Amino acid sequence: MEDIWPDVLKRREPAWLRPSVIPGLLQTPEYASLVLSSGLLDADEVAGYVETRPRRQAAVLNRRKPPLFIAVIDECALLRGEPDVMHPQLDHLIEMAQRPTTFLHVLPLDACMPGRPGRSSLRPLRMATWGTSTTRHPAG
């Protein structure tokens, strides 16, 4: 791989491609708690991760020269969850997408499935119309 892309092994940008969950570097404490408590962690472990997450986010994204951060999030991940958790999370994503080194892309619900004909396109979260779509949350 080093022959083809000599700089790829030297990169320091966080990589994220688990589109069904909002990346940890972009999660609010409430969303992080919800996601982490749905797995195998006990309550103390969840609390520990939730407590350290904002410090990690600040250390990575608020440094003097923040890294390039590109995330792809499935639209389903933005529609799933309780409104009291998701509305602040969506507001936070919109705020983070305004940063010059953060690029958030949404894989739309109507994107093609692998193996089916047609094109799939990512929608940048920076779209001016995105703010109105946050009101489409099925739970209100």
Side-chain angles (χ1 to χ4, degrees):
M1 179 166 30
E2 201 167 343
D3 298 0
I4 301 170
W5 296 310
D7 293 332
V8 77
L9 299 176
K10 298 175 191 170
R11 287 182 154 176
R12 294 179 187 231
E13 300 96 15
W16 180 262
L17 188 58
R18 196 172 348 147
S20 62
V21 178
I22 294 169
L25 286 174
L26 302 174
Q27 293 176 359
T28 61
E30 296 78 16
Y31 181 87
S33 180
L34 183 70
V35 170
L36 293 169
S37 62
S38 68
L40 300 175
L41 301 175
D42 64 36
D44 291 336
E45 290 174 304
V46 169
Y49 281 116
V50 171
E51 181 184 327
T52 59
R53 186 145 298 177
R55 290 194 304 267
R56 180 174 164 255
Q57 292 168 343
V60 174
L61 300 175
N62 294 341
R63 61 178 76 159
R64 190 173 62 81
K65 287 185 171 183
L68 175 65
F69 184 73
I70 301 170
V72 177
I73 304 170
D74 194 313
E75 190 173 356
C76 287
L78 304 177
L79 300 174
R80 191 178 304 119
E82 298 295 322
D84 60 329
V85 172
M86 292 308 296
H87 287 178
Q89 177 63 64
L90 293 172
D91 289 341
H92 181 67
L93 287 175
I94 292 167
E95 179 183 321
M96 296 302 291
Q98 304 309 310
R99 292 175 173 226
T101 59
T102 302
F103 295 88
L104 305 181
H105 299 278
V106 176
L107 184 63
L109 292 173
D110 60 359
C112 300
M113 296 298 293
R116 291 176 61 191
R119 290 183 31 185
S120 173
S121 61
L122 297 176
R123 294 184 184 141
L125 193 60
R126 296 174 190 231
M127 293 181 353
T129 58
W130 181 259
T132 59
S133 67
T134 59
T135 59
R136 293 185 332 171
H137 194 282

